[in-house]
Amino acid sequence: MSGSATRHELRKAFRDKRLSLSPEQQNQAGLQLVEQYQQHAIFKGTRNIAIYLSFNGELNTRALIDYLWSAGCKVFVPILHPFCAGHLLFQEFTAHSQMRLNSFGIAEPKLDVRYLCPIQDLDVIFTPLVAFDIKGNRLGMGGGFYDRTLASLQSSSNETSPILTGLAHDIQLSPHLPTEAWDIPLPYILTPNKLYSFT
Ligand SMILES: Nc1ncnc2c1ncn2[C@@H]1O[C@H](COP(=O)(O)OP(=O)(O)O)[C@@H](O)[C@H]1O
Ligand SMILES: [Mg+2]
């Protein structure tokens, strides 16, 4: 990939890479992700965890979600904000959640305000991504949803802020990503093989 590739070209190339993984490779990656999660001290003692339901070749989170439930954590997943366009809310996800497909065809729990978690009360936010670079820059699907939703954390950054961690296959590492002013970089990226720390 040349240094001058556009964000659009990079998204396409890295989405195709992700989609070329076999179901077996995806399952294996999801299991290794659990081992990685268990190994790293930064996640010790965390209770309220935002994560996503995998879509379009994203690193499979199913095994990690099962592990988090078994460990007594509360698991939250993003839902499209009903009236604040381009923003996400995080709602608790359980084995009994009633689900729907949103306008992108992605599964999300039906909105129930009783089960929403304000982002500053989350201990960890695991974000999906299309590509990342060695500085923690994140290229998403192109909607800017996480950039908008996490922007408020930047200004109120303190010790109790959620640990922002991208989840990715190792093949999603790009030598260099072009960035824009609104992009929220990630201090951590967890892959099936290692934790990158950019703090
Ligand atoms: N904090 C923000 N406020 C307003 N618009 C935003 C914000 N963050 C992103 N956007 C808009 O979202 C669009 C997609 O953002 P981009 O960073 O390219 O996507 P992604 O992060 O999903 O890769 C951009 O056109 C940008 O203008
Ligand atoms: Mg962005």
Side-chain angles (χ1 to χ4, degrees):
M1 186 60 57
S2 86
S4 60
T6 64
R7 287 158 80 87
H8 178 76
E9 289 164 341
L10 285 163
R11 276 193 190 98
K12 166 106 183 66
F14 278 94
R15 276 208 317 266
D16 287 352
K17 267 195 190 199
R18 239 174 28 180
L19 284 169
S20 72
L21 296 171
S22 68
E24 176 56 34
Q25 286 172 309
Q26 279 283 7
N27 278 341
Q28 186 58 34
L31 295 175
Q32 284 177 230
L33 180 67
V34 178
E35 289 177 20
Q36 283 295 317
Y37 175 85
Q38 292 167 333
Q39 271 172 32
H40 296 291
I42 58 162
F43 304 118
K44 290 273 179 300
T46 54
R47 278 283 161 261
N48 290 338
I49 318 281
I51 195 166
Y52 58 89
L53 300 172
S54 309
F55 177 76
N56 196 244
E58 289 166 349
L59 178 55
N60 194 328
T61 55
R62 193 63 227 196
L64 182 53
I65 290 173
D66 285 339
Y67 170 74
L68 293 171
W69 283 338
S70 74
C73 295
K74 281 193 175 188
V75 172
F76 297 84
V77 296
I79 65 176
L80 298 180
H81 199 294
F83 48 81
C84 198
H87 287 251
L88 301 170
L89 295 170
F90 292 97
Q91 184 166 313
E92 190 174 8
F93 174 61
T94 72
H96 307 290
S97 293
Q98 284 203 49
M99 306 300 286
R100 66 184 283 268
L101 290 185
N102 68 23
S103 50
F104 296 99
I106 301 174
E108 59 175 46
K110 285 187 181 163
L111 175 64
D112 185 330
V113 293
R114 292 173 299 173
Y115 303 119
L116 294 176
C117 185
I119 51 172
Q120 63 273 18
D121 292 349
L122 292 164
D123 299 318
V124 182
I125 301 178
F126 285 120
T127 80
L129 56 89
V130 172
F132 67 100
D133 72 12
I134 202 65
K135 292 182 174 156
N137 294 311
R138 171 182 182 273
L139 189 70
M141 288 288 274
F145 287 88
Y146 280 90
D147 289 329
R148 281 188 210 85
T149 305
L150 302 178
S152 64
L153 288 176
Q154 293 288 94
S155 46
S156 68
S157 166
N158 61 48
E159 276 166 29
T160 62
S161 289
I163 303 167
L164 289 187
T165 307
L167 294 184
H169 298 286
D170 295 273
I171 54 166
Q172 291 171 260
L173 174 60
S174 166
H176 170 75
L177 288 177
T179 56
E180 298 287 353
W182 60 78
D183 283 323
I184 305 284
L186 297 166
Y188 299 99
I189 308 269
L190 189 64
T191 79
N193 290 294
K194 68 176 284 187
L195 177 71
Y196 291 85
S197 172
F198 309 108
T199 54

